[in-house]
Amino acid sequence: MDIRLFEETDRPFLRTLYLAARRHNWTWLDGEDWQLEDFDAVILGETVLVAELDGHRVGFAAVLDNDNFLHSLYVDPNAQGKGVGSALLEKVQSRFSSTGALKCLQQNQAAMDFYLKHGWRREAVGESEQGKYVLMHFPLAKRASGNGGR
């Protein structure tokens, strides 16, 4: 597994991956208006990490580095269960300079379980366009102690 920084040549494929992953995982939402170009707005101003497995792009994570905020983590539905999400998450966590944060849609139980398994903690609940979300934190101490970041 290779995790590297986004290159412009990744954009067409990651647009497709983003659309497919949302349709596959966010089944409770009406995705009729979702478009390939939605990816462009989501990553604007963010550091994007791309996961490759056997030379194929299989996922990405987008991070607001200054805020230690994981904004997006998506894995190709055909590559789920192969450690792609874990590798991306570990790379993101290694970038944090203080407690990390993310918002996970409450109805996305698989994602909630994934983050909890990796040492993230529920902090608060809020409301978004896509429904209720859980604000989660990843304490820097977890990474330093070797219990979830490396």
Side-chain angles (χ1 to χ4, degrees):
M1 178 95 49
D2 182 38
I3 308 291
R4 60 170 175 77
L5 288 172
F6 172 85
E7 299 170 0
E8 192 56 40
T9 55
D10 296 321
R11 188 176 301 273
F13 183 82
L14 294 184
R15 281 176 165 176
T16 302
L17 186 152
Y18 179 64
L19 183 61
R22 286 192 302 165
R23 287 187 172 151
H24 182 262
N25 295 310
W26 295 5
T27 56
W28 66 94
L29 293 175
D30 177 12
E32 185 176 312
D33 293 333
W34 294 344
Q35 303 173 37
L36 292 171
E37 294 79 13
D38 294 343
F39 170 80
D40 302 337
V42 166
I43 66 161
L44 195 60
E46 300 181 358
T47 300
V48 178
L49 303 171
V50 178
E52 288 185 336
L53 185 61
D54 299 326
H56 300 283
R57 297 174 198 98
V58 290
F60 77 92
V63 184
L64 290 164
D65 282 320
N66 290 339
D67 298 329
N68 295 300
F69 187 81
L70 172 57
H71 183 228
S72 304
L73 193 155
Y74 290 89
V75 174
D76 183 329
N78 296 321
Q80 290 181 356
K82 297 181 180 179
V84 176
S86 295
L88 280 166
L89 187 59
E90 287 178 13
K91 187 67 165 182
V92 166
Q93 290 168 176
S94 74
R95 299 175 66 86
F96 291 157
S97 59
S98 65
T99 297
L102 64 80
K103 292 177 181 175
C104 184
L105 293 175
Q106 203 167 30
Q107 288 192 309
N108 192 348
Q109 192 59 52
M112 290 285 299
D113 292 345
F114 171 78
Y115 292 119
L116 290 169
K117 178 181 119 185
H118 285 86
W120 289 74
R121 298 183 192 150
R122 294 183 178 125
E123 295 295 328
V125 176
E127 192 75 37
S128 74
E129 289 179 13
Q130 295 87 20
K132 290 187 180 197
Y133 67 83
V134 176
L135 174 66
M136 302 182 86
H137 283 169
F138 184 80
L140 191 60
K142 288 286 278 183
R143 186 185 83 199
S145 68
N147 290 334
R150 294 195 190 242

